[in-house]
Amino acid sequence: MSKPLLLTQMSLDRCSSARKKPEWISTQLTKPNTHFFVSYQGKFLVNAGQLVNLTRTQYDQVNHNRITCIFLGKNLHDDQAVFVLDFSLLSEEQWQELHNRVRLQCSDDLVDLRRALSELSVEVASIAGFANALINWHRSHQFCGYCGSPLLDKEAGHAKQCSDQVCAKLVFPRTDPVVIMIIEHTDEIGITRCLLAGHQRSQGQVISTLAGFVDPGESIEEAVTREVFEEVGLITTSVRYLCSQPWPFPASLMLGFHVKVSSNNTTIDPDEITHVKWCTAQDIASFSDWGSDDDNTQIPGKHSISRYLIDWWCKNQLNVSK
Ligand SMILES: [Zn+2]
């Protein structure tokens, strides 16, 4: 594997024990150089490829009853605490009023993290991804799943507890495992190809690897075998784990595999797949990147694990053929 995957290079100490102590968190909140990143409605405040960092003065001007404040960790470069402030409970008007009053710079932009990933540095993208996963969890877990009472924040935003004193259930952020695989087959005359597919959810000429959620009661290897059969009707003969990538849109962990199959006769699931293409490494070298203006076949952008698996496979094939 060459370049590390985006969202896997976070330069924060999560301080998993210290963050459970409210007095320690209070001390971090009052330090002059603590970082406060800003999020609103699933977007982040970004300027010149960096997350915008509120000053202490700006932080003090914020109405703290209407925000979700989550401790992310300590920056490994400067040892300063890093928090994210989510203002999603504010209306558009309230957000604009805050924007003007706190004097955020005019050039600061609220950007959709998924679209901005490729513009951020690897470290910044990882911190923003971590923040996004926690914000998504807070927004979707406001009430107890057992008794329906409101949940209260614990551990600086890394746990919640039911406000009903009898129930008092503790809940923690969840991650949903997803298997994603590059499928390979060598035909009777020795030509090796990988399978890429057009998905119902994809746009235009984009083809990519197969992927699917791990079911309850299933190992990740079983999930790979099941997904390959369900989506394209192929029998798996070998499953090899390669790498993983957190994908916080909203809460997935992508688990990447290299898979070999017994034949190239596919039967596609039309609810999921529009078409499949068996491709050599040379074929793939002629494709364009996702989002290109041309009508050429496109493959996912370089920040995704799907592209990482495709590039890994091509590199592997070229080494084999040397
Ligand atoms: Zn409860």
Side-chain angles (χ1 to χ4, degrees):
M1 295 274 171
S2 47
K3 261 177 91 177
L5 271 161
L6 198 63
L7 300 171
T8 64
Q9 299 289 298
M10 197 170 70
S11 55
L12 288 182
D13 174 355
R14 295 172 185 245
C15 303
S16 304
S17 295
R19 74 189 183 202
K20 293 177 182 170
K21 301 171 190 153
E23 62 281 8
W24 186 84
I25 289 294
S26 297
T27 304
Q28 305 310 312
L29 283 168
T30 56
K31 288 187 174 178
N33 295 319
T34 292
H35 301 296
F36 298 99
F37 298 137
V38 177
S39 177
Y40 178 66
Q41 300 286 339
K43 297 179 177 177
F44 282 78
L45 212 50
V46 170
N47 188 357
Q50 295 292 323
L51 293 174
V52 170
N53 185 19
L54 293 192
T55 63
R56 274 290 325 168
T57 310
Q58 288 172 317
Y59 173 71
D60 288 339
Q61 292 175 302
V62 166
N63 176 357
H64 293 254
N65 292 327
R66 304 300 307 276
I67 61 171
T68 302
C69 177
I70 306 170
F71 172 73
L72 298 178
K74 276 200 161 190
N75 190 312
L76 293 178
H77 299 303
D78 61 11
D79 201 38
Q80 300 302 321
V82 180
F83 291 81
V84 65
L85 307 176
D86 180 37
F87 294 87
S88 297
L89 291 176
L90 301 186
S91 66
E92 282 280 347
E93 292 74 24
Q94 289 169 325
W95 166 254
Q96 277 308 324
E97 185 276 328
L98 175 92
H99 201 280
N100 296 334
R101 181 163 50 81
V102 177
R103 296 199 189 114
L104 298 169
Q105 297 169 46
C106 297
S107 53
D108 297 342
D109 284 325
L110 266 179
V111 299
D112 180 277
L113 180 60
R114 197 164 172 162
R115 290 179 186 275
L117 274 182
S118 55
E119 297 162 26
L120 301 174
S121 75
V122 173
E123 287 188 358
V124 170
S126 297
I127 293 172
F130 177 38
N132 201 49
L134 288 167
I135 289 168
N136 286 335
W137 179 69
H138 275 264
R139 292 178 71 186
S140 60
H141 289 74
Q142 298 181 36
F143 299 93
C144 176
Y146 295 91
C147 74
S149 301
L151 292 173
L152 304 174
D153 288 355
K154 294 281 175 185
E155 299 182 16
H158 292 261
K160 285 172 177 272
Q161 186 163 31
C162 178
S163 57
D164 182 277
Q165 292 187 353
V166 175
C167 177
K169 286 278 190 298
L170 265 176
V171 291
F172 299 93
R174 56 175 294 166
T175 297
D176 301 327
V178 176
V179 290
I180 181 164
M181 42 275 180
I182 184 95
I183 298 171
E184 173 185 313
H185 180 259
T186 303
D187 67 17
E188 56 284 352
I189 58 168
I191 297 178
T192 302
R193 293 182 173 86
C194 73
L195 178 140
L196 299 177
H199 298 261
Q200 290 292 359
R201 62 181 185 277
S202 349
Q203 298 170 339
Q205 303 299 314
V206 181
I207 53 173
S208 61
T209 49
L210 302 186
F213 285 100
V214 179
D215 269 358
E218 186 174 52
S219 72
I220 54 176
E221 293 83 359
E222 287 173 318
V224 169
T225 303
R226 176 182 54 76
E227 282 289 340
V228 170
F229 185 74
E230 285 178 357
E231 295 201 354
V232 292
L234 295 173
I235 304 295
T236 297
T237 57
S238 141
V239 178
R240 177 186 167 200
Y241 171 76
L242 291 176
C243 57
S244 67
Q245 181 187 42
W247 193 248
F249 307 102
S252 297
L253 174 65
M254 309 299 290
L255 302 156
F257 291 85
H258 175 217
V259 172
K260 293 185 180 178
V261 289
S262 60
S263 88
N264 57 4
N265 293 320
T266 55
T267 306
I268 64 170
D269 173 3
D271 290 338
E272 298 275 342
I273 306 292
T274 56
H275 65 289
V276 297
K277 215 178 196 69
W278 285 100
C279 312
T280 63
Q282 287 76 19
D283 294 334
I284 291 170
S286 71
F287 297 160
S288 302
D289 281 351
W290 178 84
S292 305
D293 290 332
D294 55 44
D295 292 330
N296 198 7
T297 299
Q298 297 177 3
I299 51 176
K302 289 187 186 299
H303 57 264
S304 66
I305 190 171
S306 179
R307 177 60 173 272
Y308 194 77
L309 294 173
I310 294 168
D311 288 350
W312 172 87
W313 184 81
C314 289
K315 198 173 166 191
N316 219 29
Q317 286 304 301
L318 295 174
N319 286 339
V320 168
S321 62
K322 274 181 187 169

